Every structure is written in C-alpha cells, then in structure tokens.
Amino acid sequence: MDLPYIASRTALSDACRLIDVHGDDAAFEAASLAEGARDRGNVVGFCHWRQIERVIVTLASAEPVGTVH
C-alpha cells in the first residue's frame, strides 16, 4: 500500500470528523461525498474526499504502513 498523502490539517480533521460521526462507515461516507462532488462537476471537492477516504482506510488499518523502525 502506498503512503497516503495528507494535504493539510483540514484534510486530517475532516477524516477524523467522519470517523467520529460515522464510525466504521466513515470511508463509505467519504466516498459518497466524493461522488456527490464529482456529480456536481467539483473536481477539487472530488479529489479532497477521495483523499479523505484513503486516509480513513489507512487510519482504520491495524497493519503498519511504511517503514517500521
């Protein structure tokens, strides 16, 4: 798995907020928000929520990601 890219503190806050509100369904909610943004033609919003989806999946994983020292 590639390391997720987190563009800003806001992106991480959005991921944490979705996890707090939606629990195990947070990644599905982020995907839904991305799809809605895409349907409205909002490319920036689509990319933001897809990034959030990947961050949520990484945060929810019990496996280490990247180099382990």
Side-chain angles (χ1 to χ4, degrees):
M1 173 183 242
D2 293 329
L3 293 174
Y5 174 73
I6 302 172
S8 65
R9 176 70 182 135
T10 302
L12 186 58
S13 294
D14 286 345
C16 291
R17 182 178 50 82
L18 286 181
I19 291 169
D20 288 343
V21 173
H22 298 282
D24 291 339
D25 293 331
F28 295 117
E29 181 64 21
S32 175
L33 291 168
E35 187 175 319
R38 184 188 62 202
D39 292 346
R40 291 186 303 278
N42 181 350
V43 174
V44 173
F46 171 75
C47 292
H48 173 78
W49 291 111
R50 286 288 294 151
Q51 173 190 350
I52 299 308
E53 180 184 2
R54 290 187 293 274
V55 168
I56 290 169
V57 168
T58 301
L59 290 174
S61 174
E63 297 295 317
V65 177
T67 304
V68 178
H69 297 277

Coordinates of all heavy atoms in Angstrom, one line a residue:
M1 N 0.8 -1.2 0.0 CA 0.0 0.0 0.0 C 0.9 1.2 0.0 O 1.9 1.3 0.7 CB -0.9 0.0 1.2 CG -1.7 1.3 1.4 SD -2.7 1.3 2.9 CE -4.3 1.4 2.2
D2 N 0.5 2.2 -0.8 CA 1.3 3.5 -0.8 C 0.9 4.3 0.4 O -0.2 4.2 0.9 CB 0.9 4.3 -2.1 CG 1.4 3.6 -3.4 OD1 2.4 2.9 -3.3 OD2 0.8 3.7 -4.4
L3 N 1.8 5.1 0.8 CA 1.5 6.0 1.9 C 0.5 7.1 1.5 O 0.6 7.6 0.4 CB 2.8 6.7 2.4 CG 3.9 5.8 3.0 CD1 5.1 6.7 3.3 CD2 3.4 5.2 4.3
P4 N -0.5 7.3 2.3 CA -1.5 8.3 1.9 C -0.9 9.7 2.0 O 0.0 10.0 2.8 CB -2.6 8.2 3.0 CG -1.9 7.7 4.2 CD -0.8 6.8 3.6
Y5 N -1.3 10.6 1.1 CA -0.9 12.0 1.1 C -2.0 12.8 1.8 O -3.1 12.7 1.5 CB -0.8 12.5 -0.3 CG -0.5 14.0 -0.4 CD1 0.8 14.4 -0.1 CD2 -1.4 14.9 -0.8 CE1 1.1 15.8 -0.1 CE2 -1.2 16.2 -0.8 CZ 0.1 16.7 -0.5 OH 0.4 18.0 -0.5
I6 N -1.5 13.5 2.8 CA -2.4 14.4 3.6 C -2.0 15.8 3.3 O -1.0 16.3 3.7 CB -2.3 14.1 5.1 CG1 -2.7 12.6 5.4 CG2 -3.3 15.0 5.9 CD1 -2.4 12.2 6.8
A7 N -2.9 16.5 2.6 CA -2.5 17.9 2.1 C -2.5 18.9 3.1 O -1.8 19.9 3.0 CB -3.5 18.2 1.0
S8 N -3.4 18.8 4.2 CA -3.5 19.8 5.1 C -4.0 19.3 6.5 O -4.5 18.2 6.5 CB -4.4 21.0 4.6 OG -5.7 20.5 4.5
R9 N -4.0 20.1 7.5 CA -4.6 19.8 8.7 C -6.1 19.6 8.6 O -6.7 18.8 9.2 CB -4.2 20.8 9.8 CG -4.8 20.6 11.1 CD -4.2 19.4 11.8 NE -4.9 19.2 13.1 CZ -5.3 18.1 13.5 NH1 -5.1 17.0 12.9 NH2 -6.0 18.0 14.6
T10 N -6.7 20.5 7.7 CA -8.1 20.4 7.5 C -8.5 19.0 6.9 O -9.5 18.5 7.3 CB -8.5 21.5 6.5 OG1 -8.1 22.8 7.0 CG2 -10.0 21.5 6.2
A11 N -7.7 18.5 6.1 CA -8.0 17.1 5.5 C -8.0 16.1 6.6 O -8.9 15.2 6.6 CB -6.9 16.8 4.4
L12 N -7.0 16.1 7.5 CA -6.9 15.2 8.6 C -8.1 15.4 9.5 O -8.7 14.4 10.0 CB -5.6 15.3 9.3 CG -5.4 14.2 10.4 CD1 -5.4 12.8 9.8 CD2 -4.0 14.5 11.0
S13 N -8.5 16.6 9.8 CA -9.6 16.9 10.6 C -10.9 16.4 10.0 O -11.8 15.9 10.7 CB -9.8 18.4 10.8 OG -8.7 18.9 11.6
D14 N -11.1 16.5 8.7 CA -12.3 16.0 8.0 C -12.3 14.5 8.2 O -13.4 13.9 8.4 CB -12.3 16.4 6.5 CG -12.6 17.8 6.3 OD1 -13.1 18.5 7.2 OD2 -12.3 18.3 5.1
A15 N -11.2 13.8 8.0 CA -11.2 12.4 8.2 C -11.5 12.0 9.6 O -12.4 11.1 9.8 CB -9.8 11.8 7.9
C16 N -11.0 12.6 10.6 CA -11.3 12.3 12.0 C -12.7 12.6 12.3 O -13.4 11.8 13.1 CB -10.4 13.1 12.9 SG -8.7 12.6 12.8
R17 N -13.3 13.7 11.8 CA -14.7 14.0 12.0 C -15.6 12.9 11.4 O -16.6 12.5 12.1 CB -15.0 15.4 11.4 CG -16.5 15.8 11.6 CD -16.8 17.2 11.0 NE -16.3 17.3 9.6 CZ -17.1 16.9 8.6 NH1 -18.2 16.3 8.8 NH2 -16.6 17.1 7.4
L18 N -15.3 12.5 10.2 CA -16.1 11.4 9.6 C -16.0 10.1 10.5 O -17.0 9.4 10.6 CB -15.7 11.2 8.2 CG -16.1 12.2 7.2 CD1 -15.7 11.8 5.8 CD2 -17.6 12.4 7.2
I19 N -14.9 9.8 11.0 CA -14.7 8.6 11.8 C -15.5 8.8 13.1 O -16.2 7.8 13.5 CB -13.2 8.4 12.1 CG1 -12.5 8.0 10.8 CG2 -13.0 7.3 13.2 CD1 -11.0 7.9 11.0
D20 N -15.5 10.0 13.7 CA -16.2 10.2 14.9 C -17.7 10.1 14.7 O -18.5 9.5 15.5 CB -15.9 11.6 15.5 CG -14.6 11.7 16.1 OD1 -13.9 10.7 16.4 OD2 -14.1 12.9 16.3
V21 N -18.2 10.6 13.6 CA -19.7 10.6 13.3 C -20.2 9.3 12.7 O -21.2 8.8 13.1 CB -20.0 11.8 12.3 CG1 -21.5 11.7 11.9 CG2 -19.7 13.1 13.0
H22 N -19.4 8.7 11.8 CA -19.9 7.5 11.1 C -19.2 6.2 11.5 O -19.6 5.2 11.0 CB -19.7 7.8 9.6 CG -20.5 8.9 9.1 ND1 -21.9 8.9 8.9 CD2 -20.1 10.2 8.8 CE1 -22.3 10.0 8.5 NE2 -21.3 10.9 8.4
G23 N -18.2 6.3 12.3 CA -17.6 5.0 12.8 C -17.0 4.2 11.6 O -16.3 4.7 10.8
D24 N -17.4 2.9 11.6 CA -16.9 2.0 10.6 C -17.3 2.4 9.2 O -16.7 1.9 8.2 CB -17.3 0.6 10.9 CG -16.6 0.0 12.1 OD1 -15.6 0.5 12.5 OD2 -17.2 -0.9 12.7
D25 N -18.3 3.2 9.1 CA -18.9 3.6 7.7 C -18.2 4.9 7.2 O -18.7 5.4 6.2 CB -20.4 3.7 7.8 CG -21.1 2.4 8.0 OD1 -20.5 1.3 7.6 OD2 -22.2 2.4 8.6
A26 N -17.2 5.4 7.9 CA -16.6 6.7 7.6 C -16.1 6.7 6.1 O -16.3 7.7 5.4 CB -15.6 7.1 8.6
A27 N -15.4 5.6 5.7 CA -14.9 5.6 4.4 C -16.0 5.6 3.3 O -15.8 6.2 2.3 CB -14.0 4.4 4.2
F28 N -17.1 4.9 3.6 CA -18.2 4.9 2.7 C -18.8 6.3 2.6 O -19.2 6.8 1.5 CB -19.3 3.9 3.1 CG -18.8 2.5 3.1 CD1 -18.8 1.8 4.3 CD2 -18.5 1.9 1.9 CE1 -18.4 0.4 4.2 CE2 -18.1 0.6 1.8 CZ -18.0 -0.1 3.0
E29 N -18.9 7.0 3.7 CA -19.4 8.4 3.7 C -18.5 9.3 2.9 O -18.9 10.1 2.1 CB -19.5 8.9 5.1 CG -20.1 10.3 5.2 CD -21.5 10.5 4.7 OE1 -22.2 9.5 4.6 OE2 -21.9 11.6 4.3
A30 N -17.2 9.2 3.0 CA -16.2 10.0 2.3 C -16.4 9.7 0.8 O -16.3 10.6 -0.1 CB -14.8 9.7 2.7
A31 N -16.6 8.4 0.4 CA -16.8 8.0 -1.0 C -18.0 8.6 -1.5 O -18.1 9.1 -2.7 CB -16.8 6.5 -1.1
S32 N -19.1 8.7 -0.7 CA -20.3 9.3 -1.1 C -20.2 10.8 -1.3 O -20.7 11.3 -2.3 CB -21.4 9.0 0.0 OG -22.6 9.7 -0.3
L33 N -19.4 11.4 -0.4 CA -19.2 12.9 -0.6 C -18.4 13.1 -1.9 O -18.6 14.1 -2.6 CB -18.5 13.4 0.6 CG -19.3 13.5 1.9 CD1 -18.5 13.7 3.1 CD2 -20.4 14.5 1.8
A34 N -17.4 12.2 -2.2 CA -16.6 12.4 -3.4 C -17.5 12.2 -4.6 O -17.4 13.0 -5.6 CB -15.5 11.4 -3.4
E35 N -18.4 11.2 -4.6 CA -19.2 11.0 -5.7 C -20.2 12.2 -5.9 O -20.4 12.6 -7.1 CB -20.1 9.7 -5.5 CG -20.9 9.3 -6.7 CD -21.6 8.0 -6.4 OE1 -21.0 7.1 -5.8 OE2 -22.8 7.9 -6.8
G36 N -20.7 12.8 -4.9 CA -21.6 13.9 -5.0 C -20.8 15.1 -5.6 O -21.4 15.8 -6.4
A37 N -19.6 15.3 -5.1 CA -18.8 16.4 -5.7 C -18.5 16.2 -7.2 O -18.6 17.1 -8.0 CB -17.4 16.5 -4.9
R38 N -18.2 14.9 -7.5 CA -18.0 14.6 -9.0 C -19.2 14.9 -9.8 O -19.2 15.5 -10.9 CB -17.5 13.2 -9.1 CG -17.2 12.8 -10.6 CD -17.0 11.4 -10.8 NE -18.2 10.7 -10.4 CZ -18.3 9.4 -10.1 NH1 -17.2 8.7 -10.0 NH2 -19.4 8.8 -9.8
D39 N -20.4 14.5 -9.3 CA -21.6 14.7 -10.0 C -22.0 16.2 -10.2 O -22.6 16.5 -11.2 CB -22.8 14.0 -9.2 CG -22.7 12.5 -9.2 OD1 -21.9 11.9 -10.0 OD2 -23.4 11.9 -8.4
R40 N -21.5 17.0 -9.3 CA -21.7 18.5 -9.4 C -20.6 19.1 -10.3 O -20.6 20.3 -10.5 CB -21.7 19.1 -8.0 CG -22.9 18.8 -7.2 CD -23.0 19.5 -5.9 NE -21.8 19.4 -5.1 CZ -21.6 18.4 -4.2 NH1 -22.5 17.4 -4.1 NH2 -20.5 18.3 -3.5
G41 N -19.6 18.3 -10.7 CA -18.5 18.9 -11.5 C -17.4 19.5 -10.7 O -16.6 20.3 -11.2
N42 N -17.4 19.3 -9.4 CA -16.4 19.9 -8.5 C -15.2 18.9 -8.4 O -15.2 18.1 -7.5 CB -17.1 20.1 -7.1 CG -16.2 20.7 -6.1 OD1 -15.0 20.9 -6.3 ND2 -16.7 21.1 -5.0
V43 N -14.2 19.2 -9.2 CA -13.1 18.3 -9.3 C -12.2 18.4 -8.0 O -11.8 17.4 -7.5 CB -12.2 18.6 -10.5 CG1 -10.9 17.9 -10.5 CG2 -13.0 18.4 -11.8
V44 N -12.1 19.6 -7.5 CA -11.3 19.8 -6.3 C -12.0 19.1 -5.1 O -11.3 18.4 -4.3 CB -11.1 21.3 -6.0 CG1 -10.5 21.5 -4.6 CG2 -10.3 22.0 -7.1
G45 N -13.3 19.2 -5.0 CA -14.0 18.5 -3.9 C -13.9 17.0 -4.1 O -13.8 16.3 -3.1
F46 N -14.0 16.6 -5.3 CA -13.9 15.1 -5.5 C -12.6 14.6 -5.1 O -12.5 13.6 -4.3 CB -14.1 14.8 -7.0 CG -13.8 13.4 -7.4 CD1 -14.6 12.4 -7.1 CD2 -12.6 13.1 -8.0 CE1 -14.3 11.1 -7.4 CE2 -12.3 11.8 -8.4 CZ -13.2 10.8 -8.1
C47 N -11.5 15.3 -5.5 CA -10.1 14.9 -5.1 C -10.0 14.9 -3.6 O -9.3 14.0 -3.0 CB -9.1 15.7 -5.8 SG -9.0 15.5 -7.6
H48 N -10.5 16.0 -2.9 CA -10.4 16.1 -1.5 C -11.0 14.9 -0.8 O -10.4 14.3 0.1 CB -11.1 17.4 -1.0 CG -11.2 17.6 0.4 ND1 -10.1 17.9 1.2 CD2 -12.2 17.4 1.3 CE1 -10.5 18.0 2.5 NE2 -11.7 17.6 2.6
W49 N -12.3 14.6 -1.1 CA -13.0 13.5 -0.4 C -12.4 12.1 -0.8 O -12.4 11.2 0.1 CB -14.5 13.6 -0.7 CG -15.0 14.8 0.0 CD1 -15.5 15.9 -0.6 CD2 -15.1 15.0 1.4 NE1 -15.9 16.8 0.4 CE2 -15.6 16.3 1.6 CE3 -14.7 14.2 2.5 CZ2 -15.8 16.8 2.9 CZ3 -14.9 14.8 3.8 CH2 -15.5 16.0 4.0
R50 N -11.9 11.9 -2.0 CA -11.2 10.7 -2.3 C -9.9 10.5 -1.4 O -9.6 9.4 -0.9 CB -10.8 10.6 -3.8 CG -12.0 10.3 -4.7 CD -12.5 8.9 -4.6 NE -11.4 8.0 -5.1 CZ -11.3 6.8 -4.7 NH1 -12.0 6.3 -3.8 NH2 -10.3 6.1 -5.2
Q51 N -9.2 11.6 -1.2 CA -8.0 11.6 -0.4 C -8.5 11.3 1.0 O -7.8 10.5 1.7 CB -7.4 13.0 -0.4 CG -6.2 13.1 0.6 CD -5.8 14.6 0.7 OE1 -6.1 15.4 -0.1 NE2 -5.0 14.8 1.7
I52 N -9.5 11.9 1.5 CA -10.0 11.6 2.9 C -10.4 10.1 3.0 O -10.1 9.5 4.0 CB -11.2 12.5 3.2 CG1 -10.9 14.0 3.1 CG2 -11.8 12.1 4.6 CD1 -9.7 14.4 4.0
E53 N -11.0 9.6 2.0 CA -11.4 8.1 2.0 C -10.1 7.3 2.2 O -10.1 6.4 3.0 CB -12.1 7.8 0.7 CG -12.5 6.3 0.6 CD -13.1 6.0 -0.7 OE1 -13.2 6.8 -1.6 OE2 -13.5 4.8 -0.8
R54 N -9.1 7.6 1.5 CA -7.8 6.8 1.6 C -7.2 7.0 3.0 O -6.6 6.0 3.5 CB -6.9 7.2 0.5 CG -7.3 6.7 -0.9 CD -6.3 6.9 -2.0 NE -6.0 8.3 -2.2 CZ -6.7 9.0 -3.1 NH1 -7.7 8.5 -3.8 NH2 -6.4 10.3 -3.3
V55 N -7.2 8.2 3.5 CA -6.7 8.4 4.8 C -7.5 7.6 5.9 O -6.9 7.0 6.8 CB -6.7 9.9 5.2 CG1 -6.4 10.2 6.6 CG2 -5.7 10.7 4.3
I56 N -8.8 7.6 5.8 CA -9.6 6.9 6.7 C -9.3 5.4 6.7 O -9.2 4.7 7.7 CB -11.1 7.1 6.5 CG1 -11.5 8.6 6.8 CG2 -12.0 6.1 7.2 CD1 -12.9 9.0 6.4
V57 N -9.1 4.8 5.5 CA -8.8 3.4 5.4 C -7.5 3.1 6.0 O -7.3 2.1 6.7 CB -8.8 3.0 3.9 CG1 -8.2 1.6 3.7 CG2 -10.2 3.0 3.3
T58 N -6.5 4.0 5.8 CA -5.2 3.9 6.4 C -5.3 4.0 8.0 O -4.7 3.1 8.7 CB -4.2 4.9 5.9 OG1 -4.1 4.8 4.5 CG2 -2.8 4.7 6.5
L59 N -6.0 4.9 8.5 CA -6.1 5.1 9.9 C -6.9 3.9 10.6 O -6.6 3.5 11.7 CB -6.9 6.4 10.2 CG -6.2 7.7 10.0 CD1 -7.1 8.9 10.2 CD2 -4.9 7.8 10.8
A60 N -7.8 3.3 9.8 CA -8.5 2.2 10.4 C -7.8 0.8 10.3 O -8.2 -0.1 11.0 CB -9.9 2.0 9.6
S61 N -6.7 0.8 9.5 CA -6.0 -0.4 9.4 C -5.1 -0.7 10.6 O -4.5 0.1 11.2 CB -5.0 -0.3 8.2 OG -4.2 -1.5 8.1
A62 N -5.1 -2.0 11.0 CA -4.3 -2.4 12.1 C -2.9 -2.7 11.7 O -2.0 -2.9 12.6 CB -4.9 -3.7 12.8
E63 N -2.6 -2.8 10.4 CA -1.3 -3.1 9.9 C -0.5 -1.8 9.8 O -1.0 -0.8 9.4 CB -1.4 -3.7 8.5 CG -2.1 -5.1 8.5 CD -1.3 -6.1 9.2 OE1 -0.1 -6.2 9.1 OE2 -1.9 -6.9 10.0
P64 N 0.8 -1.9 10.1 CA 1.6 -0.7 9.9 C 1.8 -0.3 8.5 O 1.9 -1.2 7.6 CB 3.0 -1.1 10.6 CG 3.0 -2.6 10.6 CD 1.5 -3.0 10.6
V65 N 1.9 0.9 8.2 CA 2.1 1.4 6.8 C 3.5 2.1 6.7 O 3.8 3.0 7.6 CB 1.0 2.4 6.4 CG1 1.2 2.9 5.0 CG2 -0.4 1.6 6.5
G66 N 4.2 1.8 5.7 CA 5.5 2.5 5.6 C 6.6 1.8 6.3 O 6.5 0.6 6.7
T67 N 7.7 2.4 6.5 CA 8.9 1.9 7.2 C 8.6 1.7 8.7 O 8.2 2.7 9.3 CB 10.1 2.7 6.9 OG1 10.3 2.9 5.5 CG2 11.4 2.1 7.5
V68 N 8.9 0.6 9.2 CA 8.8 0.3 10.6 C 10.2 0.2 11.2 O 11.0 -0.6 10.8 CB 8.0 -0.9 11.0 CG1 7.9 -1.2 12.4 CG2 6.6 -0.9 10.3
H69 N 10.5 1.1 12.2 CA 11.8 1.1 12.8 C 11.8 0.4 14.1 O 10.9 0.4 14.9 CB 12.3 2.5 13.0 CG 12.5 3.2 11.8 ND1 13.6 3.1 11.0 CD2 11.7 4.1 11.1 CE1 13.5 3.9 9.9 NE2 12.4 4.5 9.9

